[in-house]
Amino acid sequence: MCMPLCVSVVLSGSVSMSEQAQTRGRFFIRTYGCQMNERDSQSVAALLIEEGWEQATSMEDADIILFNTCSVRDQAERKALGKMGMTAVLKKDRPDLVLGVMGCMAQSRGAELLERVPSLDLVAGTQQFHRVPEILGKLGSDSGSRKSVVAVGEDQAGLSLLARHAPTEVAVSGFVSIMRGCNQRCSFCIVPSTRGEEQSRSIEEIADEVEGLVAAGLREVTLLGQIVTSYGVKELGSRGCMPFVRLIERVHEIEGLERIRFTSPHPKGLRVELMEAFRDLPKLCEHMHLPLQSGSTRILKQMRRTYSKELFLEKVERLRSLVPSIAITTDIIVGFPGETEEDFQDTIDVVKAADFDNAFVFRYSKRRDTPAAAMDGQLPEEVKQERNQILLALLEEQAMRHNQCLVGSIEEVLVEGPSKRNPDRLSGRTRSNKIVVYPGSPRHVGQLLPIRIERAMPFTLYGDPVILE
Ligand code: SF4
């Protein structure tokens, strides 16, 4: 499942006054939600730059403000709506300002958004990202004659947009979207209706994109999709070697690329050949984010997850037996309709038995037009909150224990840049995806360095570079 990190991301860049004079205008994109949204915003930004627009450093500085939205959780929708409402006020002083909303919320709510925020000029759904520059170009600069555009239809042509990158966005570690959509239809999830049916890009197109990024400085790639284990099944068939494993093998051949990761798989797609890829392909990092959602087989059935707690644990055990150093993280929903104390206890038992390194825990929130929203047994917020806290405490304890085990060891760290909390220090990730902060020089960025771990916290490791003879 695909409820990775919920973050608010801002795409920004700097523009000189002389450059501004030659451009069509300046845009600013605020992104809500998961890495897929982050990646989509990067693609739209790249396309806008190609078409002559410039990135602004802030909303105040922009002629066009775009919100790329998330519908996975109610809170994310409310946050985006609040921000859109506040931004609409800017139009009182600057009537020419263009306001647009893109992504999942645009797809699920369509024209209804114009009723909520009448000053919106553009509503572009998840298959219309590629048309944003064209629509913006046609809107016109005269706000008096401008007509709002709602574009939420299906359009396969949008798949090609996934390959776009603005040169300024290429970093040491980056995302590449390999597919979009999901056919799974978990009962709590709005994604199949906002992102549509699964569509995969070709292996060669993805490999070309990664090669281009590596030439521009990328060292680590994360292959992205709502359900990557279903990659290419429709296009390449499910007989023989898993298409997703074939893709990883092809990307593995790319010279100069040091590391490969992916997110998110579905436990049903965690076949032995994918487990063996971790063992056999040295660039595939030893980290698996394997969404559990619930440890109760009864609730899993209600969620339409197609596995039992026993099968999930069997797969975890098999994976660990093949790759003992693998770190496993997960997503869990607490307070799904009808979840009893006994069901919740099952989740706790599975969290302990799988010995997750960490997890994202979500309190169930109703999503409209999903089967779970209409189920009996909706739980009060206090119960969800209480279960959330219990689980977070347990996971923090587990995370701390896993990290403590690394104290004294030497870990290979890919240095990504200054630490967010302390810019005087550098930050990178181990192969098992743990954040390491250490004292070093900016010239280390992009290097794989051996770091001795000196201290551990639940979410961060601290260390010193090792001088090797
Ligand atoms: S339907 Fe299920 S597998 Fe598909 S994106 Fe949603 S949670 Fe993930």
Side-chain angles (χ1 to χ4, degrees):
M1 129 93 193
C2 325
M3 280 190 184
L5 280 174
C6 278
V7 287
S8 170
V9 179
V10 176
L11 286 175
S12 61
S14 58
V15 187
S16 73
M17 291 307 287
S18 59
E19 283 169 325
Q20 285 172 20
Q22 299 154 14
T23 65
R24 301 174 75 176
R26 283 160 295 166
F27 68 92
F28 185 89
I29 305 179
R30 180 172 286 277
T31 308
Y32 297 88
C34 63
Q35 293 101 329
M36 297 281 293
N37 277 15
E38 199 178 325
R39 183 65 204 102
D40 288 337
S41 293
Q42 289 175 351
S43 302
V44 173
L47 209 53
L48 285 169
I49 291 167
E50 277 171 34
E51 300 284 331
W53 275 276
E54 290 279 359
Q55 261 180 309
T57 49
S58 67
M59 281 194 186
E60 290 69 29
D61 215 23
D63 308 303
I64 299 163
I65 299 173
L66 300 170
F67 295 91
N68 192 8
T69 54
C70 169
S71 284
V72 166
R73 311 198 68 228
D74 184 44
Q75 201 188 16
E77 284 206 344
R78 275 190 278 129
K79 219 165 139 185
L81 274 172
K83 191 69 188 171
M84 273 182 240
M86 277 159 64
T87 313
V89 176
L90 293 175
K91 273 203 161 189
K92 286 202 178 121
D93 293 332
R94 298 168 56 200
D96 290 343
L97 182 69
V98 173
L99 284 188
V101 56
M102 316 183 288
C104 290
M105 213 167 130
Q107 187 69 41
S108 68
R109 294 180 181 245
E112 180 202 318
L113 279 171
L114 297 179
E115 286 162 31
R116 300 283 295 261
V117 188
S119 51
L120 278 175
D121 299 293
L122 162 68
V123 177
T126 52
Q127 298 199 25
Q128 298 285 331
F129 286 121
H130 63 297
R131 290 192 54 221
V132 168
E134 170 209 324
I135 298 171
L136 288 176
K138 285 184 185 157
L139 276 177
S141 54
D142 178 8
S143 55
S145 60
R146 218 186 264 159
K147 280 207 169 63
S148 303
V149 175
V150 178
V152 291
E154 284 184 21
D155 191 342
Q156 306 246 341
L159 206 57
S160 62
L161 176 76
L162 297 177
R164 292 297 221 291
H165 291 265
T168 50
E169 296 291 342
V170 178
V172 169
S173 175
F175 298 115
V176 165
S177 296
I178 62 169
M179 63 187 296
R180 70 176 182 196
C182 178
N183 296 353
Q184 192 59 29
R185 303 212 163 263
C186 299
S187 65
F188 53 82
C189 184
I190 197 169
V191 166
S193 57
T194 58
R195 293 264 170 182
E197 298 276 303
E198 288 163 14
Q199 290 174 56
S200 300
R201 300 171 63 204
S202 76
I203 290 180
E204 279 316 309
E205 192 185 305
I206 295 165
D208 283 352
E209 180 181 340
V210 178
E211 262 160 11
L213 292 170
V214 169
L218 186 95
R219 310 293 303 278
E220 174 183 279
V221 68
T222 300
L223 304 174
L224 267 188
Q226 302 289 349
I227 180 162
V228 290
T229 36
S230 296
Y231 167 81
V233 169
K234 189 174 84 184
E235 293 80 2
L236 303 167
S238 54
R239 285 227 194 115
C241 180
M242 258 177 100
F244 183 52
V245 173
R246 279 154 60 189
L247 171 68
I248 296 173
E249 286 170 348
R250 173 66 188 87
V251 172
H252 194 270
E253 288 168 7
I254 296 172
E255 252 177 71
L257 181 70
E258 302 281 357
R259 290 176 164 188
I260 303 170
R261 303 184 186 278
F262 59 80
T263 195
S264 286
H266 190 292
K268 75 170 184 169
L270 178 53
R271 292 177 19 193
V272 176
E273 58 198 293
L274 180 54
M275 299 184 197
E276 287 174 349
F278 281 98
R279 184 196 60 190
D280 301 336
L281 301 174
K283 292 182 185 175
L284 188 57
C285 289
E286 296 84 3
H287 170 231
M288 166 71 92
H289 185 77
L290 190 64
L292 166 69
Q293 306 307 359
S294 171
S296 155
T297 300
R298 193 182 74 84
I299 294 294
L300 285 169
K301 207 165 174 185
Q302 300 287 313
M303 288 178 163
R304 301 188 185 158
R305 288 294 290 177
T306 69
Y307 52 87
S308 64
K309 72 173 176 188
E310 289 81 9
L311 185 63
F312 185 92
L313 286 172
E314 246 173 61
K315 293 196 177 204
V316 165
E317 201 183 323
R318 183 110 190 231
L319 180 60
R320 283 228 166 90
S321 70
L322 282 166
V323 194
S325 61
I326 199 158
I328 304 179
T329 55
T330 195
D331 294 324
I332 298 169
I333 296 174
V334 289
F336 187 81
E339 183 188 73
T340 62
E341 279 299 331
E342 212 180 334
D343 295 318
F344 180 59
Q345 189 54 49
D346 280 350
T347 298
I348 288 183
D349 293 345
V350 175
V351 167
K352 287 181 181 168
D355 199 15
F356 294 118
D357 285 64
N358 223 321
F360 296 112
V361 182
F362 301 91
R363 280 170 282 147
Y364 170 75
S365 78
K366 274 187 182 182
R367 307 315 298 127
R368 63 181 183 169
D369 302 330
T370 58
M375 284 181 186
D376 292 338
Q378 302 286 335
L379 297 183
E381 257 331 291
E382 309 85 75
V383 175
K384 296 180 198 172
Q385 184 60 34
E386 192 192 351
R387 292 179 185 173
N388 186 39
Q389 291 305 328
I390 293 171
L391 217 43
L392 287 178
L394 172 64
L395 284 157
E396 191 168 322
E397 205 180 293
Q398 286 187 192
M400 187 66 184
R401 183 167 38 76
H402 279 285
N403 282 358
Q404 281 286 3
C405 289
L406 296 175
V407 174
S409 68
I410 296 173
E411 296 291 313
E412 178 200 273
V413 172
L414 176 62
V415 184
E416 292 176 13
S419 155
K420 279 190 191 134
R421 290 219 175 136
N422 180 357
D424 293 338
R425 302 204 155 221
L426 289 174
S427 165
R429 281 170 198 267
T430 63
R431 289 181 60 88
S432 56
N433 208 31
K434 293 176 195 282
I435 295 171
V436 178
V437 174
Y438 78 98
S441 153
R443 72 187 150 77
H444 293 164
V445 173
Q447 290 181 22
L448 290 168
L449 283 189
I451 305 281
R452 187 187 306 280
I453 307 302
E454 305 288 353
R455 191 161 61 89
M457 296 297 283
F459 307 109
T460 314
L461 298 165
Y462 298 88
D464 284 315
V466 176
I467 298 160
L468 297 174
E469 288 187 2

